[in-house]
Amino acid sequence: MDIVTGLRLQRPRTWLLLVTVLLAVAAGLRLAKDDAHTKVMMYYGGWNTEEMFDATRWFTSGMYVPRNIEADGSASNVTMLRNKPLKLTSQQVDQLPIVVAGVFFSADLTLDLEAFATNQPDLSNSYRYAYSAFAKPNIPEDYYYLYLDWQKKQYVVTFSMNAQKPEKLSGKYVQEVHADQPADAEHIKVFADIAEAERKTN
């Protein structure tokens, strides 16, 4: 077989390979384009609000990631997770006792404010990031749990802050934690972790 004949035989294979590569590239670009235009629709303003808005930019920017808590493993369209949760500043930690007092008052729970004011526990390591949600379209809030061990009872205080202007904390609600309740198991574990950390530092 001469060189010319060999090239003629290889040419169809070369074109076939080239077409295959081009099709693969086109398919990849199409998938990338489709992913880029996939909208992430989220509810805002509370659990009972029926309106949604396009929150895609908050996820494509990397600030938030989906919170996969649905029964089928899909992402929630109410809450999400911050990729890098903020740590409270010293000024915000100083606000925590006021947040606690306000939440207890709103929930009509008894809190000896005088004793709490004179024997304030160190709350600087007693909070944990929980989740995030939108108060309004494009106004995300980050929610935290504050773990309060007070007068032989354990409470979890939920508070939030504006994710873009996080100076001020907003108290939401409080719940008492019971060791014999399966639903409180995760909170009980956090209380144990906090107590162990305090034991090691003392």
Side-chain angles (χ1 to χ4, degrees):
M1 181 185 297
D2 57 31
I3 296 176
V4 175
T5 303
L7 291 174
R8 287 176 179 175
L9 290 174
Q10 291 180 6
R11 186 176 299 171
R13 297 177 184 176
T14 303
W15 279 108
L16 179 61
L17 178 61
L18 180 60
V19 170
T20 302
V21 171
L22 290 175
L23 288 174
V25 171
L29 291 174
R30 178 177 295 178
L31 288 174
K33 184 178 180 181
D34 291 342
D35 290 341
H37 288 82
T38 299
K39 289 185 178 181
V40 180
M41 303 299 293
M42 298 288 290
Y43 287 103
Y44 65 90
W47 299 91
N48 297 321
T49 303
E50 296 183 358
E51 295 182 5
M52 304 181 80
F53 79 103
D54 183 1
T56 306
R57 70 183 181 91
W58 295 98
F59 294 88
T60 55
S61 69
M63 185 171 181
Y64 291 101
V65 296
R67 188 180 184 214
N68 298 317
I69 59 172
E70 298 301 326
D72 60 357
S74 61
S76 170
N77 51 21
V78 177
T79 62
M80 56 203 175
L81 295 175
R82 185 153 187 163
N83 194 26
K84 295 180 180 180
L86 298 178
K87 185 177 177 62
L88 298 189
T89 65
S90 58
Q91 290 81 4
Q92 289 173 318
V93 171
D94 291 340
Q95 294 179 41
L96 290 177
I98 300 174
V99 170
V100 169
V103 170
F104 269 76
F105 179 80
S106 298
D108 198 24
L109 290 175
T110 302
L111 178 67
D112 189 336
L113 293 178
E114 183 176 352
F116 188 74
T118 56
N119 299 286
Q120 280 186 16
D122 182 6
L123 302 176
S124 58
N125 296 311
S126 297
Y127 67 90
R128 300 289 187 274
Y129 171 73
Y131 56 87
S132 300
F134 288 97
K136 296 178 180 179
N138 294 313
I139 305 294
E141 282 187 320
D142 295 336
Y143 286 75
Y144 290 77
Y145 293 139
L146 174 65
Y147 292 86
L148 179 64
D149 201 329
W150 181 250
Q151 296 184 339
K152 299 181 179 181
K153 290 186 178 181
Q154 293 180 323
Y155 302 93
V156 175
V157 176
T158 302
F159 66 91
S160 70
M161 59 184 178
N162 186 308
Q164 297 173 288
K165 300 177 180 179
E167 295 84 5
K168 185 178 179 181
L169 306 182
S170 177
K172 298 299 182 181
Y173 35 84
V174 58
Q175 70 177 83
E176 185 177 351
V177 174
H178 301 278
D180 59 347
Q181 295 295 324
D184 292 339
E186 290 188 13
H187 289 319
I188 292 296
K189 184 180 183 302
V190 176
F191 272 111
D193 292 342
I194 292 173
E196 178 64 15
E198 290 179 351
R199 184 187 67 78
K200 290 180 178 180
T201 56
N202 294 331

